[in-house]
């Protein structure tokens, strides 16, 4: 009986891990074409390859908000782009320059390419957070 009670208490404690919401306010949208895609990456080696969390909202001129739910507290880098033609990818010209509006957490910018995970890194506390990203 004691071992069953102990196991039940441990299982409840493990399930009580806090999950946070991250609200991303995206500004400088010029049109209502397509959707705004928001990805949160929790590791440098998957940055811009495979988001750990993802949200998609309808584009509107001005500012839109997207909320990523149930993120474990920790460090993330966020990428955002307006998928104007709804093909689920950031389109680029023949030399690889994006032709759709995009941005990153901390409004990070790389030189001759995207910023690094570290340049865009933010900390999301257990109680959640909100950030702003300006599209360029």
């Amino acid at each position: 009986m004691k071992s069953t009670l102990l196991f039940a208490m441990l299982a409840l404690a493990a399930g009580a891990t806090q999950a946070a919401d991250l609200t991303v306010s995206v500004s400088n949208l010029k049109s209502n074409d397509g959707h705004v895609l928001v990805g949160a990456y929790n590791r440098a080696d998957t940055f811009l390859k495979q988001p750990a969390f993802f949200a998609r909202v309808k584009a509107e001129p001005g500012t839109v908000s997207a909320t990523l739910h149930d993120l474990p507290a920790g460090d993330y880098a966020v990428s955002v782009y307006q998928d104007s033609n709804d093909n689920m990818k950031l389109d680029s010209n023949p030399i690889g320059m994006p032709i759709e509006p995009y941005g990153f957490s901390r409004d990070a910018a790389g030189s001759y390419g995207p910023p690094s995970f570290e340049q865009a890194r933010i900390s999301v506390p257990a109680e959640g957070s909100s950030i702003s990203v300006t599209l360029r």
Side-chain angles (χ1 to χ4, degrees), residues 61-112:
T63 302
V64 298
S65 289
T67 301
L68 302 167
H69 298 284
D70 300 325
L71 282 73
D75 290 343
Y76 295 88
V78 176
S79 71
V80 177
Y81 70 95
Q82 182 177 356
D83 186 13
S84 300
N85 59 2
D86 276 335
N87 67 352
M88 297 296 289
K89 68 178 189 172
L90 177 61
D91 294 323
S92 59
N93 66 18
I95 61 169
M97 301 277 298
I99 58 173
E100 292 178 309
Y102 66 94
F104 298 94
S105 45
R106 297 178 57 194
D107 285 330
S111 52
Y112 302 106

Side-chain angles (χ1 to χ4, degrees), residues 1-9:
M1 178 71 172
K2 285 183 184 179
S3 63
T4 304
L5 181 59
L6 179 61
F7 178 75
M9 288 173 51

